[in-house]
Amino acid sequence: MPDTEKQLLSMTGEAAVLVQRGRATFANAEAREILGQDCVGKRVAALFGETISGVQASSFLAQVRLREQPYLVRIARLDQEQVFFLRSQEDAPSVMNQPFLSSLRSSLMTVELAADRMRDLAEEAGSAPLLENLRSLTRSQYQIRRLLDNASLILEQSQGGIVCAARTFDLSRLCSSALEALSGMLPGISFPDRCGEGILVHADPRLIKILLLNLLSNAVRHGEGCSRISLSLLQTGQNVVLGVDDDGCGIREEELPRVFDRYRYAFRLDQMNAGPGLGLTAVRMIAQRHGGSLLLESRAGQGTTVRVSLPRPKPEQLRVPEEDALFDGKEFLTGLADCLPAGCFGEKWLD
């Protein structure tokens, strides 16, 4: 890179590292403060980890931990070089607090009880119009519950860290069961299953369920024009890499740096139905809590790929009963409430 362009990187105010042939050749003052004064000359794998160093995409976004702190790394390619931009990640906005979320949950419980009673009355009366409206109301209830669950996780992380009860379980079976159910609910989308059989992870089943459903929900909801969403599992060394790929509309390059914390920023009125953006933030925090990483690559008009690494079990770690690591109906409908049609919240699926 010419000296003039290095000078521009020095003046950006954003931590930036220039990489050529897998090795850092320049780092501005902000980047050296984060990575160390001796970072120039080191390989990408040593600075950011093996997951990022192996990516061949021209530009992508990833979450990493550097010196025990979470950072977003945005990578852009310039001819034969790459520029790595680093930005520190805060955990939660001050507006999120326990009394606020508890108050919302209390109000939601009242609405749910009233809706259940109305459903009983509608079924007794055989009122099809009322039952149809109740399906829309029920979907909204589940959407609010999903929002509260993600917000609670983000708040929990900010108040000392997400509680993680790691156990060994079959991730292949969990992923395959999710795809099988989605295929019946969304027949217009194909769901290729590349998860294999018997692939185990050592993680918190509750948190991994939330992570998986958030990724699937985002793929369906934000992948406008999507016709295919595939899940894959790959065992690499000490990790299992969970991959979610879609062929939807992708994410515009200018929006990519903020996908993990969209809820912090104002957004246009035409984006109101896209939700507040808590899902990917929760996914990032769950991956971090398990010592893993998250990588997101997206191109407008070509789709989005998300990769999450999770730890493989050690021989002495016992497996949990299989039924403890599968979805129940309420978990599944909550996690996918933003992307399922109202018809999935009727008597058939609720029962």
mmCIF file of all heavy atoms in Angstrom, residues 39-67:
data_model
loop_
_atom_site.group_PDB
_atom_site.id
_atom_site.type_symbol
_atom_site.label_atom_id
_atom_site.label_comp_id
_atom_site.label_asym_id
_atom_site.label_seq_id
_atom_site.Cartn_x
_atom_site.Cartn_y
_atom_site.Cartn_z
ATOM 1 N N CYS A 39 2.499 -5.959 16.891
ATOM 2 C CA CYS A 39 1.585 -6.747 16.054
ATOM 3 C C CYS A 39 2.006 -6.808 14.592
ATOM 4 O O CYS A 39 1.704 -7.787 13.902
ATOM 5 C CB CYS A 39 0.161 -6.203 16.178
ATOM 6 S SG CYS A 39 -0.038 -4.505 15.582
ATOM 7 N N VAL A 40 2.692 -5.771 14.098
ATOM 8 C CA VAL A 40 3.123 -5.774 12.697
ATOM 9 C C VAL A 40 4.134 -6.907 12.491
ATOM 10 O O VAL A 40 5.072 -7.072 13.266
ATOM 11 C CB VAL A 40 3.731 -4.421 12.304
ATOM 12 C CG1 VAL A 40 4.320 -4.483 10.887
ATOM 13 C CG2 VAL A 40 2.677 -3.328 12.381
ATOM 14 N N GLY A 41 3.914 -7.682 11.459
ATOM 15 C CA GLY A 41 4.771 -8.824 11.172
ATOM 16 C C GLY A 41 4.171 -10.145 11.602
ATOM 17 O O GLY A 41 4.603 -11.204 11.146
ATOM 18 N N LYS A 42 3.156 -10.101 12.478
ATOM 19 C CA LYS A 42 2.534 -11.333 12.942
ATOM 20 C C LYS A 42 1.509 -11.833 11.929
ATOM 21 O O LYS A 42 0.932 -11.059 11.177
ATOM 22 C CB LYS A 42 1.860 -11.116 14.294
ATOM 23 C CG LYS A 42 2.840 -10.894 15.435
ATOM 24 C CD LYS A 42 2.107 -10.817 16.777
ATOM 25 C CE LYS A 42 3.083 -10.674 17.932
ATOM 26 N NZ LYS A 42 2.384 -10.595 19.230
ATOM 27 N N ARG A 43 1.242 -13.136 11.961
ATOM 28 C CA ARG A 43 0.271 -13.731 11.069
ATOM 29 C C ARG A 43 -1.140 -13.445 11.580
ATOM 30 O O ARG A 43 -1.366 -13.254 12.785
ATOM 31 C CB ARG A 43 0.502 -15.237 10.931
ATOM 32 C CG ARG A 43 1.881 -15.593 10.358
ATOM 33 C CD ARG A 43 1.903 -17.015 9.838
ATOM 34 N NE ARG A 43 1.013 -17.182 8.704
ATOM 35 C CZ ARG A 43 1.324 -16.859 7.447
ATOM 36 N NH1 ARG A 43 2.501 -16.330 7.160
ATOM 37 N NH2 ARG A 43 0.442 -17.056 6.479
ATOM 38 N N VAL A 44 -2.105 -13.461 10.641
ATOM 39 C CA VAL A 44 -3.502 -13.190 10.993
ATOM 40 C C VAL A 44 -3.997 -14.189 12.035
ATOM 41 O O VAL A 44 -4.714 -13.833 12.969
ATOM 42 C CB VAL A 44 -4.387 -13.243 9.729
ATOM 43 C CG1 VAL A 44 -5.860 -13.204 10.103
ATOM 44 C CG2 VAL A 44 -4.048 -12.080 8.806
ATOM 45 N N ALA A 45 -3.622 -15.450 11.886
ATOM 46 C CA ALA A 45 -4.075 -16.472 12.832
ATOM 47 C C ALA A 45 -3.632 -16.158 14.248
ATOM 48 O O ALA A 45 -4.356 -16.409 15.212
ATOM 49 C CB ALA A 45 -3.557 -17.842 12.407
ATOM 50 N N ALA A 46 -2.416 -15.602 14.406
ATOM 51 C CA ALA A 46 -1.911 -15.268 15.735
ATOM 52 C C ALA A 46 -2.628 -14.059 16.321
ATOM 53 O O ALA A 46 -2.817 -13.963 17.535
ATOM 54 C CB ALA A 46 -0.409 -15.005 15.672
ATOM 55 N N LEU A 47 -3.061 -13.151 15.467
ATOM 56 C CA LEU A 47 -3.711 -11.928 15.941
ATOM 57 C C LEU A 47 -5.204 -12.126 16.175
ATOM 58 O O LEU A 47 -5.758 -11.638 17.169
ATOM 59 C CB LEU A 47 -3.505 -10.804 14.928
ATOM 60 C CG LEU A 47 -2.074 -10.311 14.737
ATOM 61 C CD1 LEU A 47 -2.014 -9.290 13.598
ATOM 62 C CD2 LEU A 47 -1.525 -9.690 16.022
ATOM 63 N N PHE A 48 -5.875 -12.835 15.258
ATOM 64 C CA PHE A 48 -7.337 -12.897 15.289
ATOM 65 C C PHE A 48 -7.909 -14.316 15.404
ATOM 66 O O PHE A 48 -9.124 -14.463 15.555
ATOM 67 C CB PHE A 48 -7.922 -12.243 14.030
ATOM 68 C CG PHE A 48 -7.516 -10.814 13.847
ATOM 69 C CD1 PHE A 48 -6.561 -10.461 12.915
ATOM 70 C CD2 PHE A 48 -8.085 -9.816 14.626
ATOM 71 C CE1 PHE A 48 -6.186 -9.140 12.748
ATOM 72 C CE2 PHE A 48 -7.721 -8.493 14.469
ATOM 73 C CZ PHE A 48 -6.761 -8.148 13.527
ATOM 74 N N GLY A 49 -7.066 -15.337 15.299
ATOM 75 C CA GLY A 49 -7.559 -16.698 15.409
ATOM 76 C C GLY A 49 -7.632 -17.422 14.076
ATOM 77 O O GLY A 49 -7.678 -16.796 13.006
ATOM 78 N N GLU A 50 -7.667 -18.750 14.148
ATOM 79 C CA GLU A 50 -7.656 -19.591 12.943
ATOM 80 C C GLU A 50 -8.908 -19.423 12.097
ATOM 81 O O GLU A 50 -8.858 -19.501 10.870
ATOM 82 C CB GLU A 50 -7.502 -21.068 13.347
ATOM 83 C CG GLU A 50 -6.171 -21.404 14.008
ATOM 84 C CD GLU A 50 -5.015 -21.386 13.017
ATOM 85 O OE1 GLU A 50 -5.288 -21.377 11.807
ATOM 86 O OE2 GLU A 50 -3.859 -21.390 13.465
ATOM 87 N N THR A 51 -10.069 -19.184 12.751
ATOM 88 C CA THR A 51 -11.329 -19.098 12.001
ATOM 89 C C THR A 51 -11.272 -17.991 10.970
ATOM 90 O O THR A 51 -11.629 -18.178 9.799
ATOM 91 C CB THR A 51 -12.509 -18.859 12.961
ATOM 92 O OG1 THR A 51 -12.558 -19.919 13.903
ATOM 93 C CG2 THR A 51 -13.820 -18.815 12.179
ATOM 94 N N ILE A 52 -10.824 -16.823 11.388
ATOM 95 C CA ILE A 52 -10.768 -15.677 10.477
ATOM 96 C C ILE A 52 -9.679 -15.861 9.434
ATOM 97 O O ILE A 52 -9.851 -15.515 8.257
ATOM 98 C CB ILE A 52 -10.555 -14.374 11.276
ATOM 99 C CG1 ILE A 52 -11.821 -14.035 12.061
ATOM 100 C CG2 ILE A 52 -10.176 -13.219 10.364
ATOM 101 C CD1 ILE A 52 -11.723 -12.773 12.862
ATOM 102 N N SER A 53 -8.547 -16.413 9.830
ATOM 103 C CA SER A 53 -7.422 -16.517 8.890
ATOM 104 C C SER A 53 -7.736 -17.410 7.703
ATOM 105 O O SER A 53 -7.155 -17.261 6.633
ATOM 106 C CB SER A 53 -6.183 -17.050 9.618
ATOM 107 O OG SER A 53 -6.371 -18.393 10.023
ATOM 108 N N GLY A 54 -8.690 -18.354 7.877
ATOM 109 C CA GLY A 54 -8.989 -19.271 6.787
ATOM 110 C C GLY A 54 -10.069 -18.813 5.830
ATOM 111 O O GLY A 54 -10.348 -19.487 4.847
ATOM 112 N N VAL A 55 -10.666 -17.651 6.068
ATOM 113 C CA VAL A 55 -11.753 -17.172 5.216
ATOM 114 C C VAL A 55 -11.188 -16.572 3.933
ATOM 115 O O VAL A 55 -10.265 -15.764 3.955
ATOM 116 C CB VAL A 55 -12.605 -16.119 5.959
ATOM 117 C CG1 VAL A 55 -13.687 -15.572 5.039
ATOM 118 C CG2 VAL A 55 -13.229 -16.740 7.202
ATOM 119 N N GLN A 56 -11.768 -16.967 2.810
ATOM 120 C CA GLN A 56 -11.298 -16.488 1.510
ATOM 121 C C GLN A 56 -12.160 -15.372 0.933
ATOM 122 O O GLN A 56 -11.835 -14.822 -0.113
ATOM 123 C CB GLN A 56 -11.267 -17.655 0.513
ATOM 124 C CG GLN A 56 -10.381 -18.809 0.944
ATOM 125 C CD GLN A 56 -8.934 -18.391 1.071
ATOM 126 O OE1 GLN A 56 -8.401 -17.670 0.225
ATOM 127 N NE2 GLN A 56 -8.282 -18.823 2.155
ATOM 128 N N ALA A 57 -13.256 -15.018 1.583
ATOM 129 C CA ALA A 57 -14.158 -13.998 1.050
ATOM 130 C C ALA A 57 -13.458 -12.652 0.952
ATOM 131 O O ALA A 57 -12.568 -12.325 1.751
ATOM 132 C CB ALA A 57 -15.394 -13.867 1.935
ATOM 133 N N SER A 58 -13.880 -11.841 -0.012
ATOM 134 C CA SER A 58 -13.257 -10.531 -0.196
ATOM 135 C C SER A 58 -13.595 -9.568 0.926
ATOM 136 O O SER A 58 -12.805 -8.696 1.269
ATOM 137 C CB SER A 58 -13.693 -9.940 -1.540
ATOM 138 O OG SER A 58 -15.100 -9.799 -1.577
ATOM 139 N N SER A 59 -14.783 -9.705 1.517
ATOM 140 C CA SER A 59 -15.153 -8.863 2.654
ATOM 141 C C SER A 59 -16.130 -9.631 3.531
ATOM 142 O O SER A 59 -16.962 -10.382 3.037
ATOM 143 C CB SER A 59 -15.782 -7.547 2.185
ATOM 144 O OG SER A 59 -16.967 -7.778 1.485
ATOM 145 N N PHE A 60 -15.993 -9.465 4.829
ATOM 146 C CA PHE A 60 -16.895 -10.132 5.758
ATOM 147 C C PHE A 60 -16.784 -9.463 7.122
ATOM 148 O O PHE A 60 -15.969 -8.564 7.335
ATOM 149 C CB PHE A 60 -16.605 -11.634 5.857
ATOM 150 C CG PHE A 60 -15.228 -11.979 6.366
ATOM 151 C CD1 PHE A 60 -15.016 -12.246 7.708
ATOM 152 C CD2 PHE A 60 -14.158 -12.053 5.492
ATOM 153 C CE1 PHE A 60 -13.754 -12.566 8.171
ATOM 154 C CE2 PHE A 60 -12.891 -12.379 5.951
ATOM 155 C CZ PHE A 60 -12.687 -12.636 7.293
ATOM 156 N N LEU A 61 -17.622 -9.915 8.032
ATOM 157 C CA LEU A 61 -17.677 -9.368 9.386
ATOM 158 C C LEU A 61 -17.566 -10.518 10.365
ATOM 159 O O LEU A 61 -18.154 -11.576 10.164
ATOM 160 C CB LEU A 61 -19.004 -8.631 9.602
ATOM 161 C CG LEU A 61 -19.203 -7.876 10.915
ATOM 162 C CD1 LEU A 61 -18.316 -6.635 10.942
ATOM 163 C CD2 LEU A 61 -20.664 -7.463 11.052
ATOM 164 N N ALA A 62 -16.807 -10.335 11.438
ATOM 165 C CA ALA A 62 -16.630 -11.401 12.420
ATOM 166 C C ALA A 62 -16.543 -10.813 13.819
ATOM 167 O O ALA A 62 -16.191 -9.651 14.005
ATOM 168 C CB ALA A 62 -15.370 -12.209 12.120
ATOM 169 N N GLN A 63 -16.880 -11.648 14.790
ATOM 170 C CA GLN A 63 -16.767 -11.285 16.195
ATOM 171 C C GLN A 63 -15.627 -12.079 16.800
ATOM 172 O O GLN A 63 -15.509 -13.290 16.590
ATOM 173 C CB GLN A 63 -18.090 -11.567 16.909
ATOM 174 C CG GLN A 63 -17.981 -11.751 18.415
ATOM 175 C CD GLN A 63 -17.788 -13.217 18.772
ATOM 176 O OE1 GLN A 63 -18.456 -14.090 18.223
ATOM 177 N NE2 GLN A 63 -16.864 -13.486 19.677
ATOM 178 N N VAL A 64 -14.744 -11.406 17.542
ATOM 179 C CA VAL A 64 -13.617 -12.075 18.189
ATOM 180 C C VAL A 64 -13.431 -11.501 19.588
ATOM 181 O O VAL A 64 -13.962 -10.435 19.916
ATOM 182 C CB VAL A 64 -12.300 -11.901 17.391
ATOM 183 C CG1 VAL A 64 -12.404 -12.534 16.021
ATOM 184 C CG2 VAL A 64 -11.933 -10.426 17.270
ATOM 185 N N ARG A 65 -12.665 -12.226 20.397
ATOM 186 C CA ARG A 65 -12.260 -11.693 21.704
ATOM 187 C C ARG A 65 -10.766 -11.412 21.659
ATOM 188 O O ARG A 65 -9.961 -12.274 21.318
ATOM 189 C CB ARG A 65 -12.581 -12.684 22.826
ATOM 190 C CG ARG A 65 -14.065 -12.837 23.067
ATOM 191 C CD ARG A 65 -14.347 -13.630 24.335
ATOM 192 N NE ARG A 65 -14.074 -12.866 25.540
ATOM 193 C CZ ARG A 65 -14.939 -11.993 26.077
ATOM 194 N NH1 ARG A 65 -16.106 -11.765 25.503
ATOM 195 N NH2 ARG A 65 -14.624 -11.338 27.170
ATOM 196 N N LEU A 66 -10.408 -10.183 21.993
ATOM 197 C CA LEU A 66 -9.018 -9.758 22.016
ATOM 198 C C LEU A 66 -8.723 -9.234 23.411
ATOM 199 O O LEU A 66 -9.376 -8.289 23.870
ATOM 200 C CB LEU A 66 -8.762 -8.678 20.964
ATOM 201 C CG LEU A 66 -9.116 -9.049 19.517
ATOM 202 C CD1 LEU A 66 -9.025 -7.837 18.610
ATOM 203 C CD2 LEU A 66 -8.203 -10.163 19.019
ATOM 204 N N ARG A 67 -7.775 -9.862 24.076
ATOM 205 C CA ARG A 67 -7.440 -9.477 25.455
ATOM 206 C C ARG A 67 -8.675 -9.499 26.351
ATOM 207 O O ARG A 67 -8.934 -8.558 27.113
ATOM 208 C CB ARG A 67 -6.769 -8.100 25.484
ATOM 209 C CG ARG A 67 -5.446 -8.062 24.721
ATOM 210 C CD ARG A 67 -4.712 -6.768 24.912
ATOM 211 N NE ARG A 67 -3.398 -6.821 24.271
ATOM 212 C CZ ARG A 67 -2.485 -5.839 24.321
ATOM 213 N NH1 ARG A 67 -2.763 -4.738 24.997
ATOM 214 N NH2 ARG A 67 -1.327 -5.970 23.716
#
